[in-house]
Amino acid sequence: MKDTSQHPTLPPPDELWKAIQGQLQVKLTRSIYETWIKNTVGSKFDRQSLVVQVPTSFTAEWLGTRLRPLILQAIKTIAPSVIDVSFQVGQVRHISTITGPNKTGPMPLFRQHLPNPRYDFESFVVGESNRLAYSSARNVVTNKETTFNPLLICSGPGLGKTHLLQAIAKSCSDLKVDYLYVTAEQFTNEFISAIKTKTTSAFREKYRNVDVFLIDDIQFIAGKEKTREGFFHTFNELHTGDKKIVIASDTIPNRMHGIDDRLRSRFSWGLVANITPPDFDTRLAILKRRAKKQHWTIGSDALTVIADQVEGSIRDLEGALNRVISTSRALELPPDMKLVIESLESLMPKLSASVITKEAIFRCVCNSLNVAEKDILGGSRQREFVRARHLSMYLLKNDAGMPVTNIGRIMGDRNHSTVLHGIKNVSQGLTHDISLQNDLNQIRKNLTHV
Ligand code: ADP
Ligand code: MG
């Protein structure tokens, strides 16, 4: 076991825990992660033990009995000196409900949280996948003429809905517009407690008096009849009062189960902006922006590997970057390609299958077929070069698991269909061309020995 006590610069506990959360997120089901891990914060780290702050004693007990071994295992891969983890009940300061700075009201339950400064429009990287959601979100505050209301931002998890809602909250706060950000879960809790304590008029007062109402994770109210009713009335009052409503949801209205048609039709009065998973360039830009913001020095080839390997959620993308940085700090090693591959290998099935790098493929193809890399990447139609080119595409796809668009990009900016054609050519050739089979076998043999 490595002794990190020799290393004076340990990562801060919250950063370390975030990296561990990133790992756990991939190992656990979404519901377990969100219920037990998401709302926790690393609060103390002294080389040998890590203290995690959790919201309730029930969570502390559950994590301590059920998940401790898995959590310790995750911690060990990042900070090998840690031998113990404990869970402490405390106020977990997380992004939660925000209210406008001037609001004072009778419902103190979720007050006085400021927008998370990390989530603003400036730090939001815009690409094809999120352009409509981004520009519509910007318009909510700046463009008084917008005709759409509500704005419904829909996407799978980790693609930026909360970020955009919080960014709207922040610009409201900057422009002194009265706003309210609430998760549907908090709305539900408040609503139920208002019924219990007979304070529904205070509840109504609080909600209908804002200019911009932001509600996150609306899918939470699905199936909760009473809350839906409460939300329906709140929505109507705000809408009739010409107040802006922005809703984030993990499904599009047509697919929302447990939401009645009345509400669904209200949602369709406005604009539905879908966010889809980002393409490679957006992923890379997000990683670069994040590394720069955190003042992390990490080479762009290392970032390219992360962007290439981690598709889908931006939360996973950030988790992977956090993990690389924390590992690099804990082990005092530079965050280069080697460390990226080592620290992400166990996490990313795609990576473990692709310890075979593009460099290794090019090198082996060149050696076996006696061509130069520039011939593979260039445009010559000479037969042996075309063959080497197609074999490289085939290996990058099948042995390195690289997406076709990325293959095109690294192989001299060739388009998608050219790459597909090359791969198909090899697959078909392999059914009858013995010398092609021999070449491929030879290259693969070399590849496993690099
Ligand atoms: P969701 O609410 O859709 O589950 P979040 O808004 O919580 O997702 O985003 C997950 C993480 O990814 C956050 O840290 C957020 O800042 C980051 N993120 C999402 N989209 C972008 C983007 N376009 N540019 C920069 N960071 C982003
Ligand atoms: Mg969210």
Side-chain angles (χ1 to χ4, degrees):
M1 191 193 290
K2 291 211 167 66
D3 178 11
T4 45
S5 61
Q6 295 161 357
H7 308 312
T9 48
L10 291 169
D14 58 333
E15 205 173 280
L16 175 69
W17 181 241
K18 268 196 204 124
I20 295 159
Q21 281 180 313
Q23 261 211 51
L24 292 170
Q25 197 171 5
V26 210
K27 293 197 170 149
L28 297 167
T29 64
R30 182 174 164 210
S31 66
I32 292 200
Y33 179 84
E34 303 221 324
T35 314
W36 304 104
I37 305 285
K38 191 175 165 192
N39 291 317
T40 57
V41 173
S43 65
K44 245 188 258 160
F45 173 40
D46 65 359
R47 288 191 186 88
Q48 301 224 307
S49 62
L50 174 70
V51 180
V52 178
Q53 216 153 71
V54 299
T56 63
S57 54
F58 186 55
T59 311
E61 199 186 313
W62 204 92
L63 288 175
T65 49
R66 312 256 189 125
L67 284 190
R68 183 190 296 276
L70 189 77
I71 293 174
L72 269 175
Q73 202 185 16
I75 295 175
K76 283 224 155 78
T77 60
I78 293 176
S81 64
V82 174
I83 48 173
D84 191 28
V85 58
S86 57
F87 306 97
Q88 203 174 62
V89 184
Q91 231 218 335
V92 177
R93 277 184 52 82
H94 234 276
I95 343 147
S96 68
T97 313
I98 314 154
T99 60
N102 304 327
K103 289 202 74 63
T104 52
M107 310 227 21
L109 202 46
F110 301 113
R111 296 215 150 261
Q112 303 309 344
H113 288 269
L114 291 170
N116 185 330
R118 217 177 77 115
Y119 295 153
D120 54 16
F121 284 122
E122 287 63 42
S123 62
F124 193 85
V125 175
V126 187
E128 280 318 306
S129 59
N130 56 28
R131 195 178 305 280
L132 176 66
Y134 170 82
S135 54
S136 323
R138 277 222 99 129
N139 277 345
V140 168
V141 195
T142 48
N143 186 354
K144 298 236 173 333
E145 306 302 313
T146 35
T147 46
F148 58 79
N149 197 24
L151 165 62
L152 192 65
I153 302 179
C154 302
S155 80
L159 292 179
K161 299 180 296 296
T162 298
H163 189 134
L164 284 178
L165 255 58
Q166 295 262 343
I168 300 173
K170 178 158 187 306
S171 51
C172 285
S173 164
D174 293 345
L175 298 166
K176 309 253 178 299
V177 172
D178 207 5
Y179 69 93
L180 185 64
Y181 168 99
V182 71
T183 65
E185 185 177 4
Q186 288 158 348
F187 181 90
T188 304
N189 292 344
E190 274 194 54
F191 181 67
I192 289 169
S193 108
I195 293 176
K196 271 195 195 137
T197 54
K198 301 195 174 22
T199 51
T200 42
S201 51
F203 176 87
R204 277 185 57 201
E205 194 64 18
K206 168 181 172 182
Y207 279 95
R208 72 170 173 204
N209 275 332
V210 289
D211 294 322
V212 176
F213 175 55
L214 309 156
I215 183 159
D216 206 349
D217 290 326
I218 192 71
Q219 69 277 358
F220 187 85
I221 66 164
K224 299 186 175 65
E225 209 179 313
K226 267 217 167 103
T227 309
R228 261 181 5 228
E229 192 69 25
F231 178 72
F232 183 72
H233 291 301
T234 309
F235 182 100
N236 283 346
E237 285 189 80
L238 287 163
H239 201 271
T240 328
D242 240 354
K243 310 297 176 77
K244 299 266 170 68
I245 305 166
V246 186
I247 301 165
S249 165
D250 72 354
T251 37
I252 53 170
N254 288 348
R255 299 230 189 95
M256 284 178 196
H257 301 296
I259 292 224
D260 44 21
D261 289 342
R262 280 185 321 169
L263 212 47
R264 219 192 305 274
S265 85
R266 292 293 185 276
F267 291 166
S268 60
W269 284 352
L271 177 77
V272 178
N274 261 327
I275 308 181
T276 52
D279 57 18
F280 172 82
D281 291 333
T282 312
R283 295 201 296 273
L284 187 60
I286 289 170
L287 289 173
K288 285 189 171 157
R289 178 92 51 107
R290 180 122 182 82
K292 190 167 173 210
K293 193 154 186 197
Q294 300 291 116
H295 305 290
W296 289 334
T297 320
I298 173 164
S300 68
D301 51 348
L303 292 180
T304 306
V305 176
I306 304 177
D308 190 38
Q309 292 294 323
V310 188
E311 296 167 309
S313 139
I314 297 174
R315 191 171 293 125
D316 291 348
L317 194 65
E318 290 185 335
L321 177 63
N322 286 344
R323 186 182 155 131
V324 170
I325 296 296
S326 302
T327 311
S328 137
R329 288 191 179 169
L331 303 181
E332 283 206 331
L333 290 170
D336 54 12
M337 277 251 274
K338 187 162 171 283
L339 190 82
V340 167
I341 291 175
E342 275 170 15
S343 50
L344 298 187
E345 201 172 356
S346 60
L347 201 64
M348 311 295 162
K350 216 175 135 197
L351 241 189
S352 32
S354 82
V355 192
I356 296 174
T357 61
K358 66 174 193 293
E359 287 78 12
I361 289 178
F362 288 147
R363 196 165 55 244
C364 293
V365 170
C366 290
N367 286 343
S368 302
L369 304 185
N370 209 10
V371 297
E373 192 172 314
K374 68 173 177 14
D375 300 324
I376 297 182
L377 301 182
S380 162
R381 303 295 310 156
Q382 219 170 299
R383 209 166 161 268
E384 66 263 37
F385 298 159
V386 173
R387 187 181 178 94
R389 202 171 292 144
H390 288 178
L391 272 166
S392 304
M393 292 170 177
Y394 180 87
L395 287 160
L396 286 165
K397 177 82 186 87
N398 291 305
D399 295 39
M402 192 180 274
V404 172
T405 26
N406 297 4
I407 299 177
R409 194 174 39 78
I410 63 163
M411 294 205 54
D413 266 334
R414 293 181 147 84
N415 67 30
H416 195 257
S417 57
T418 309
V419 177
L420 282 180
H421 168 75
I423 295 171
K424 197 165 142 212
N425 219 344
V426 175
S427 313
Q428 285 175 349
L430 285 172
T431 59
H432 58 271
D433 183 343
I434 295 176
S435 86
L436 185 68
Q437 290 167 6
N438 286 342
D439 282 347
L440 184 66
N441 287 342
Q442 181 58 43
I443 300 167
R444 281 198 166 136
K445 210 152 140 205
N446 291 344
L447 267 175
T448 52
H449 289 101
V450 281

